[in-house]
Amino acid sequence: MTLFRLLLLVYPRGFRRRYGAEMTASFAHLLSRTRSERGTAGVVWLWARTVVDTLASAVNERLFGPRNDDDREGVMGTMYFHFRHALKSLRRAPGYAVGFVVTLGLAIGVNSAVFSVVNGVLLRPLPFQDAERILYVKQPVAATGIENATFSFMEVDDYRAAATTIDEWVEFGDWEFTVVGEGEPHRAVGGLVTANYFTVLGMRPAYGRLLMQQDDTQGTEPVILLTDAYWDRVFGRDPSVLGRVLNLENLSVRSPFTSAHIVGVLEPGLNYTGRRQPDFFANYAANPHYQSAAMRDARGHRMTDLFARMAPGVDVTVARSELAAIADRLHEQYRGDYPADQGYGIEVVPWQDELVRQGRPTFLFLMGTVGLILLLAAANVTNLSLTRLIRKQGELSTRAALGASATELRLQLTTENALLGLAGGGLGVALAYLSRDSLVSYASRYTVRAQEVGVDWTVLGATLGGGVLLAALLAWLPGLPVSPGTETVASGGSKATDTRRRRRLQRGLVVSQLALSFTLLTGAGLLVRSLLNLTSVDLGFRTEQVLAVETPTGPSGEGLPMVLPGEEADWTRTLEEIRAFPGVRSVAVAAWTPLSEHATQNAYTVRIDESPDAGERSHLAASNNVSPGYFETLGIPLVEGRTFDWTDQASSPDVIVLNESMARAHFGDDEAIGRRVSLGSDSQPWFRSDQWYEVVGVVADSRDSGMDSEGAHTFYRPATKSGWGPTILVAHAGDTGALTQHIRDVVRRIHPDRAVEEAQTMASLLDQEMAPSRLNAILFGSFATLALLIAAVGVLATLAFSVSQRVKEFGIRMALGADRRSVLANVMGEGILMVAAGLVVGGGAALVLGRFLSGLLFGVDPTDAASMVAAALLLGAVALVATLFPALRATRIHPSEALKGE
Amino acid sequence: MTSSPASDLSPLSTPVLHILLALGRDRLHGYGIMQAIEEKTAGVARILPGTLYTTLNRMLADGLVEEAAPPNDAPDDDRRRRYYRITPAGRKAVAAEAERMSMLLELARRDLRIS
C-alpha cells in the first residue's frame, strides 16, 4: 500500500488530499479480491494496469481537470495554473489556435530552413584549424576578363621569399586522372599539393602518413594520400592499401602510367580546396608535366592555385597591402611577363569568402525574402490576437470585475501566446528539418560547403526562441484594452474610441500584409519571366536526341592537348562501330561537351596573315578539338567554307574553323576563308603564337559555354590533327538505353584503359544549366504564394470581424431601406481601399527589391512593368474573392439580428 | 466559465457513462461503483481507482453527480466513506446518451442489417 500511496504523488495536491484515502482503500479491496481470485499472476497484472491508469489519469487531471484552489501555491503553481488555463482556453478557440500556429509555423519553417543554409554556409567558420587566417590569392588579368590566371612556380617562390605577413604558402592543383587497375577504369579527382597543405589545415592521417617535405623535392617518387570517401568507395576500407601502387593514366608517351605509392589514408572530413572534392591527394611528381622544365622555369606558366596563411595577429588588410606591393615590384621587374596593357593584379580574399562567393547574393536575398514573410506572418498573427482579444473582452472584463489583476490577465494571455508560439516554432523546425536534403542539393549548386547545411542548435535556438518571443510580445503589444476592468468597461465613453483605434490598427496590418505580398509576387514574376526567357533561348545547337558520353584519359579539363599517338585508327574504328548501331544518325568526338563543366574560356593573342606585330588581344574564347561530323551531330549550321573531313590529317596543313562572332571580330566584313591566324596563350603554352592556321570555315554561333554566352568567341581545330577528345557525341533516334550500352561495349573493347562515364543527354545538361534559375523561380514563387495566402486570410478575417462588429449598424441601415447592393459596396469598398493602399506601398518596395534581384535575372528588366501588372492583377483578384465572403454575409443581416446583437 | 452539461457532454466518455449507469438507483462509495460496474457488465468492463476518482472529480464539478449521506443500511465500517449519487442533470445526460445510442443502433440495424 505504501507503493500505491507513492504512486498517488503524481496527482495534484488538492486532488490527493480529497481522494487519496478513498483511492487507497478501494485499491486495497481490489488487491485482496484479485489475490484470492486470480493469485500472484493476477496481482502482477493488476499492478501493471494500475500504474498505467494512474499516470494517464493524472496527466488528464492536471491538464484538463476542474480547478482546485489548493493547486495554485508558489511560483510553479502559478505558472502551472496559467499553463493549464491557457490549454483549456485554447481548446475552446481551435480556429484561432490553428490559424496562429500554422501561419507562424510556416513562416518560421521557411525562415529556419533558409537560415540553416545561411548559417551553415556563410556564418559558420570553416571546419579547419586557423581557418580565419587562411587567404585565397588570385591573379586577375583585367584586360582579358580572367578572374584568376593562377600562379607559376616562379611567382610563388618570389611571394614566399618576400612576404612577411604570410607564414605558410600552400599550392594546390585540381586535376582529373583516370585510375587504371582498381576495378573498372574510372575518373578520379586528384589534388596536387605541397606537403604543408595538411599541416596548415590540421588534417591528420587515419593510416600511414601525410605527404612530407621530401615529397616536394624535384625527382622524388610519386606518392598518394587517399581521402576516406575514396578509400571507402574503391578499396572497401581495406587497411592493406598502404604501400600499394595506384596507376594513374596521363599523357606521358613512353610510360603510359604514372605509378604512385599509396602512403596514407586521411581521417574522414571535408576537403574544399578546389571546385570539386578531391578523391586523393598527390605530390607534384604524380603529374609529369609539373616536373617539366617549362613548369619550373617559365614565369608565365601558371598552373597552381595559391593559399596563404597569415602569421598570427596579422590583419587581412595588412597582408593585402603587402602582397599588392610585392606584385607591383614583380610587375616592374619582369615587364615581359606582365604586359602593362593587360592589367595583371593581385587579389587577396579570406578563403571562406571565396568558397561562398557565388552563393552569397542568392542566399542573402532569400534570407531577406523569408524575413519579409516572417513580418507578414507576424502582422497576421497580431491581427488574429487582436481580434481574439476583442472577442474575449467580455470574459476578461468579468474576470477583472471578480478581482483578477491586470498583470494576471496579461500573464494569462502571454502564456496562451507563448504556447502557440512554441507550437508554431516546433512546426517550423519540423518543416526545416524535413527540407534539409532538398536544401543541401539546392545550396550545392552554389557552393561546395552545402553539405554543412543542417538544423543545428543555433538554428533550433534562434527559431524556437524567436517564435516564443514574438508570440509573447504579441500578447503585450496589441493588447490595447490595458486593464479591461477599468478602462473599457467602466468608462463606456472610451469604448467607441478604442474600437476605432483598433480597427485602424487592424487595417494598417492588413495593408502591410498586402504590400509585402505584392512585393514578393512581383519578384516571383520577374524570376518566372527570366525562366521563360531562358527556356526560349536558342542555344544554336541541338539538345534533343543527342547523347554525350565522356571517356576521359589522363589529367584533363585544363585544355591540355589530347594527342595520343597511335590512337587515331582506334578512334575512327570506334566511331564507325557506333555509327553502325541502328537509329544512329551521326557521331563525332570533341574535347569537351557543350554546357559541361569543362566548358572554359581563355584569352588569346590573335595575329592575322603572318603579320609581324604583337597581335590583338581577343575576347575570351573557347577552343574545342572536334572530329568530322561534329557540326552535323549538334546541328550547328555552316555559314561559309567547309567543316573538317577525314583528309585533315596530321601531315596536312593546319586548319581552323571559327564561329561567326569570332570571325567578325577579327575580319569584320571581309572574307575570312583562306586567311591565316595564329593564337598565342600565356596560360596554355601549347598554343604558340608562331603556329599558323588557315581559316577553312565559319559556323554559326552556339552557346557552348552556357546560356548567357551569347556572342562568345569559339574556334575549332580538327581532332584528327590536334588530338582526340574524350567526349563522344551521338545524334540518334529512339531508345538511349541500348545505345548507351553499345557505346560502352565498343569503347571497352577498343580502349580498355579508358573510363566510360555515365551517358548524358544534351537535354539533361541543359536541364542542369537551368536548374538554379528554375529552383529560384520555384522557391520564390512558393514564398510569394504563401505570402498571398496569408494576406488573403488577413483580408478575409479582418473584414469578417469588421462586419461582425457592425451587425447593428448594417441592420439599422437595412431597416431604414438601404438595399443589399449598397451594403455590399460598403464592405467591399473597405476591402478595395486596403488593397489599393497595399499596391501603392508594395509597388515602391518592389522597385527596391528588383534592384537586389537583378543578378538573378535573365533578359528581364528589374523594373519590368509586365511582372508588376500581373502581380497586381493576381493580388487584386484574390483579395476581391476574400472581400466577397464577408460582404455577402453583411447583405444577409436581418434587421432583427441587429437587435439581438445588443 | 461554467458549461451546460447537457450540450457539452454528449457523447459521454465511457467511464462517465459507466459511472452514471452504476449509480442508477443507488448511492455508492468509490469501491462500490467499481464493483457495480464489474457486476453489471459481467466482468467485461472494469474501472481502476485512478480513472474512477479523476472522472468523479470532474463529474462533481460538472454537476452530473453529487456527494450524499451514507444509506442507513450501510455497515459501520463503510459509514466513514464518501457516497455519491446521480443528479437530475446526470440522469438527463445519461438519458440523452441512451437516446443517441438507440438512434445509432436503429441506423445500424436498418442499414447494415445487424440484429
Side-chain angles (χ1 to χ4, degrees):
Chain A
M1 272 314 106
T2 322
L3 200 58
F4 187 76
R5 275 189 208 105
L6 274 176
L7 202 56
L8 290 181
L9 287 176
V10 297
Y11 291 102
R13 191 183 338 191
F15 182 88
R16 207 164 56 234
R17 274 191 200 149
R18 189 156 174 200
Y19 298 107
E22 299 253 337
M23 290 175 80
T24 315
S26 301
F27 184 68
H29 275 298
L30 196 59
L31 197 63
S32 69
R33 189 157 58 93
T34 308
R35 186 173 293 123
S36 64
E37 282 173 14
R38 306 205 188 144
T40 318
V43 171
V44 172
W45 182 231
L46 178 69
W47 264 109
R49 285 186 49 192
T50 302
V51 170
V52 175
D53 178 68
T54 309
L55 293 179
S57 63
V59 170
N60 201 22
E61 175 67 22
R62 279 179 179 274
L63 293 185
F64 304 117
R67 172 157 62 89
N68 297 327
D69 283 338
D70 302 10
D71 298 342
R72 294 179 59 188
E73 286 163 19
V75 180
M76 284 308 286
T78 312
M79 273 180 61
Y80 171 68
F81 165 75
H82 282 298
F83 170 69
R84 242 179 47 133
H85 188 271
L87 260 189
K88 280 176 80 173
S89 155
L90 288 174
R91 274 213 323 186
R92 286 200 301 268
Y96 168 71
V98 168
F100 194 117
V101 170
V102 169
T103 310
L104 202 61
L106 286 176
I108 286 179
V110 292
N111 267 277
S112 60
V114 174
F115 180 67
S116 70
V117 173
V118 169
N119 182 50
V121 172
L122 299 185
L123 298 182
R124 205 183 309 151
L126 291 172
F128 297 113
Q129 84 183 13
D130 306 322
E132 71 290 344
R133 279 165 57 198
I134 300 177
L135 305 174
Y136 184 62
V137 189
K138 295 193 271 192
Q139 182 154 248
V141 189
T144 61
I146 291 177
E147 287 176 8
N148 184 14
T150 68
F151 292 84
S152 67
F153 290 159
M154 293 185 80
E155 286 171 332
V156 178
D157 286 344
D158 287 340
Y159 283 108
R160 184 178 281 133
T164 57
T165 55
I166 303 298
D167 66 3
E168 290 280 358
W169 293 89
V170 180
E171 297 163 38
F172 175 87
D174 192 58
W175 293 86
E176 281 183 5
F177 293 88
T178 297
V179 177
V180 182
E182 294 293 344
E184 291 197 352
H186 59 269
R187 177 149 65 181
V189 177
L192 259 54
V193 294
T194 44
N196 61 350
Y197 176 85
F198 305 96
T199 45
V200 165
L201 293 183
M203 294 163 94
R204 285 188 299 270
Y207 293 97
R209 64 169 177 91
L210 297 170
L211 301 191
M212 294 187 290
Q213 208 150 19
Q214 74 245 26
D215 297 316
D216 286 351
T217 49
Q218 180 81 352
T220 181
E221 286 292 303
V223 288
I224 272 184
L225 189 58
L226 304 178
T227 62
D228 182 76
Y230 187 68
W231 179 51
D232 181 58
R233 194 168 75 235
V234 174
F235 299 94
R237 310 193 83 79
D238 176 5
S240 72
V241 288
L242 293 188
R244 251 163 69 185
V245 167
L246 208 58
N247 290 323
L248 308 176
E249 201 180 39
N250 59 57
L251 298 172
S252 166
V253 177
R254 286 214 186 82
S255 73
F257 304 116
T258 295
S259 302
H261 283 277
I262 299 172
V263 294
V265 178
L266 279 173
E267 283 183 342
L270 302 163
N271 304 297
Y272 285 151
T273 328
R275 281 167 296 143
R276 299 164 290 192
Q277 292 263 337
D279 294 311
F280 55 78
F281 292 92
N283 61 348
Y284 284 171
N287 185 343
H289 186 76
Y290 271 44
Q291 306 290 337
S292 66
M295 192 85 182
R296 291 280 153 198
D297 305 330
R299 176 165 296 274
H301 201 121
R302 303 186 173 96
M303 269 197 166
T304 178
D305 283 33
L306 191 54
F307 296 88
R309 187 180 70 186
M310 291 185 284
V314 173
D315 189 75
V316 63
T317 52
V318 179
R320 191 173 280 144
S321 58
E322 190 198 16
L323 295 185
I326 297 172
D328 284 346
R329 208 163 59 237
L330 292 178
H331 296 168
E332 192 65 28
Q333 200 173 344
Y334 305 100
R335 285 162 188 263
D337 290 299
Y338 307 99
D341 61 331
Q342 298 198 12
Y344 277 83
I346 191 145
E347 199 182 322
V348 179
V349 286
W351 186 23
Q352 178 161 8
D353 293 358
E354 173 65 19
L355 281 178
V356 301
R357 189 166 50 98
Q358 255 191 312
R360 180 188 297 273
T362 309
F363 296 152
L364 289 182
F365 176 72
L366 274 180
M367 195 71 235
T369 305
V370 296
L372 288 185
I373 291 185
L374 189 62
L375 267 183
L376 205 148
N380 201 38
V381 167
T382 310
N383 221 339
L384 280 175
S385 305
L386 205 56
T387 310
R388 175 163 157 80
L389 262 187
I390 297 166
R391 285 195 198 285
K392 274 185 80 150
Q393 192 108 335
E395 183 198 329
L396 291 177
S397 305
T398 313
R399 287 183 52 199
L402 290 175
S405 71
T407 323
E408 215 173 11
L409 293 180
R410 253 327 161 195
L411 210 59
Q412 189 54 55
L413 292 172
T414 312
T415 315
E416 261 180 41
N417 275 8
L419 267 182
L420 292 176
L422 199 65
L427 178 65
V429 170
L431 282 179
Y433 194 78
L434 289 176
S435 59
R436 187 197 173 258
D437 286 350
S438 7
L439 283 175
V440 169
S441 78
Y442 171 76
S444 65
R445 300 199 178 266
Y446 294 97
T447 173
V448 69
R449 286 196 80 186
Q451 51 213 311
E452 285 187 78
V453 171
V455 181
D456 64 3
W457 287 110
T458 322
V459 177
L460 209 67
T463 308
L464 283 180
V468 174
L469 199 72
L470 175 75
L473 213 64
L474 286 178
W476 291 84
L477 281 185
L480 299 176
V482 182
S483 79
T486 53
E487 262 184 33
T488 330
V489 177
S491 52
S494 73
K495 189 177 176 184
T497 334
D498 254 20
T499 311
R500 215 171 301 139
R501 201 170 66 212
R502 238 175 273 133
R503 260 173 64 188
R504 218 172 24 240
L505 180 64
Q506 280 193 309
R507 279 193 208 140
L509 288 170
V510 172
V511 167
S512 63
Q513 289 177 45
L514 287 166
L516 284 172
S517 55
F518 179 51
T519 310
L520 294 180
L521 279 175
T522 308
L526 289 172
L527 288 172
V528 168
R529 281 205 71 188
S530 296
L531 184 63
L532 290 179
N533 286 347
L534 277 175
T535 332
S536 60
V537 157
D538 180 11
L539 289 167
F541 56 85
R542 188 186 300 147
T543 53
E544 291 307 314
Q545 302 213 293
V546 178
L547 208 59
V549 184
E550 297 203 354
T551 60
T553 180
S556 67
E558 299 284 336
L560 285 178
M562 291 290 148
V563 187
L564 295 175
E567 277 204 346
E568 287 94 340
D570 287 345
W571 273 110
T572 40
R573 193 152 61 89
T574 308
L575 295 194
E576 272 162 24
E577 293 198 15
I578 293 172
R579 193 182 298 110
F581 194 76
V584 171
R585 290 188 181 137
S586 70
V587 59
V589 165
W592 48 271
T593 320
L595 298 182
S596 71
E597 57 172 330
H598 298 302
T600 50
Q601 295 175 305
N602 273 294
Y604 296 89
T605 307
V606 181
R607 288 196 293 156
I608 291 171
D609 294 341
E610 318 269 349
S611 77
D613 65 23
E616 183 186 345
R617 205 73 204 173
S618 80
H619 277 102
L620 287 180
S623 151
N624 208 347
N625 297 348
V626 303
S627 74
Y630 174 82
F631 300 104
E632 292 77 3
T633 303
L634 285 180
I636 299 174
L638 178 69
V639 176
E640 54 179 332
R642 66 171 178 93
T643 56
F644 304 127
D645 57 40
W646 295 103
T647 61
D648 295 314
Q649 292 296 324
S651 53
S652 52
D654 287 325
V655 291
I656 197 166
V657 168
L658 307 179
N659 75 350
E660 262 187 301
S661 287
M662 190 165 184
R664 200 172 310 119
H666 295 290
F667 301 105
D669 292 332
D670 298 345
E671 174 71 39
I673 306 297
R675 306 281 288 273
R676 293 171 65 75
V677 296
S678 84
L679 303 148
S681 168
D682 293 338
S683 56
Q684 307 169 93
W686 49 91
F687 280 106
R688 299 193 320 269
S689 58
D690 58 355
Q691 186 173 11
W692 292 91
Y693 301 89
E694 183 188 338
V695 179
V696 295
V698 175
V699 296
D701 282 2
S702 55
R703 301 190 186 188
D704 297 4
S705 311
M707 305 290 290
D708 53 358
S709 62
E710 185 182 10
H713 292 186
T714 311
F715 61 89
Y716 304 89
R717 294 178 301 148
T720 45
K721 200 170 161 52
S722 311
W724 293 91
T727 292
I728 302 172
L729 292 159
V730 185
H732 64 96
D735 178 41
T736 53
L739 176 59
T740 308
Q741 190 54 46
H742 177 69
I743 297 172
R744 191 175 288 268
D745 293 344
V746 171
V747 176
R748 282 272 158 69
R749 186 156 32 84
I750 303 181
H751 313 269
D753 290 342
R754 288 241 176 193
V756 183
E757 299 280 301
E758 284 298 304
Q760 284 183 297
T761 60
M762 289 304 291
S764 73
L765 281 171
L766 176 64
D767 204 53
Q768 283 169 31
E769 174 83 9
M770 308 228 316
S773 302
R774 194 174 46 238
L775 283 171
N776 280 333
I778 291 174
L779 214 56
F780 208 81
S782 36
F783 289 164
T785 311
L786 182 63
L788 180 67
L789 287 179
I790 295 178
V793 170
V795 172
L796 187 89
T798 306
L799 284 183
F801 181 66
S802 158
V803 167
S804 77
Q805 295 291 94
R806 295 166 72 193
V807 165
K808 186 177 164 195
E809 178 199 330
F810 286 127
I812 293 174
R813 280 185 190 213
M814 303 278 261
L816 291 178
D819 62 356
R820 275 156 199 269
R821 205 185 305 159
S822 75
V823 170
L824 193 76
N826 186 300
V827 178
M828 290 193 75
E830 186 182 347
I832 288 170
L833 218 60
M834 291 195 294
V835 173
L839 289 183
V840 171
V841 179
L847 289 178
V848 179
L849 176 95
R851 198 154 337 136
F852 286 106
L853 260 180
S854 57
L856 304 176
L857 298 182
F858 182 87
V860 187
D861 195 65
T863 58
D864 182 50
S867 304
M868 271 205 168
V869 171
L873 285 178
L874 182 61
L875 182 69
V878 171
L880 203 68
V881 173
T883 317
L884 210 58
F885 289 102
L888 286 176
R889 157 86 182 100
T891 63
R892 279 194 294 268
I893 291 172
H894 196 270
S896 65
E897 247 183 282
L899 301 174
K900 258 192 281 172
E902 258 317 85
Chain B
M1 288 224 284
T2 53
S3 44
S4 68
S7 63
D8 262 21
L9 296 176
S10 185
L12 297 175
S13 73
T14 313
V16 172
L17 186 61
H18 277 306
I19 292 171
L20 286 177
L21 289 174
L23 289 174
R25 260 174 305 244
D26 314 313
R27 53 186 72 179
L28 296 170
H29 54 62
Y31 183 63
I33 296 176
M34 287 164 67
Q35 277 179 311
I37 291 175
E38 269 198 74
E39 279 163 20
K40 287 192 179 187
T41 63
V44 174
R46 192 174 198 196
I47 196 164
L48 293 171
T51 304
L52 174 69
Y53 283 95
T54 51
T55 310
L56 272 178
N57 191 32
R58 196 165 332 143
M59 289 168 79
L60 279 167
D62 289 337
L64 296 179
V65 294
E66 60 190 4
E67 283 191 36
N72 295 333
D73 59 344
D76 274 357
D77 194 26
D78 284 355
R79 294 191 74 85
R80 281 175 289 115
R81 312 180 71 158
R82 282 202 184 109
Y83 278 76
Y84 304 93
R85 73 171 169 217
I86 195 163
T87 63
R91 237 172 253 290
K92 219 170 112 187
V94 80
E97 178 71 2
E99 178 75 9
R100 194 181 68 85
M101 285 177 147
S102 81
M103 253 173 63
L104 284 176
L105 187 63
E106 185 65 24
L107 268 178
R109 283 205 172 117
R110 205 177 61 208
D111 294 354
L112 301 175
R113 309 206 180 288
I114 296 169
S115 52

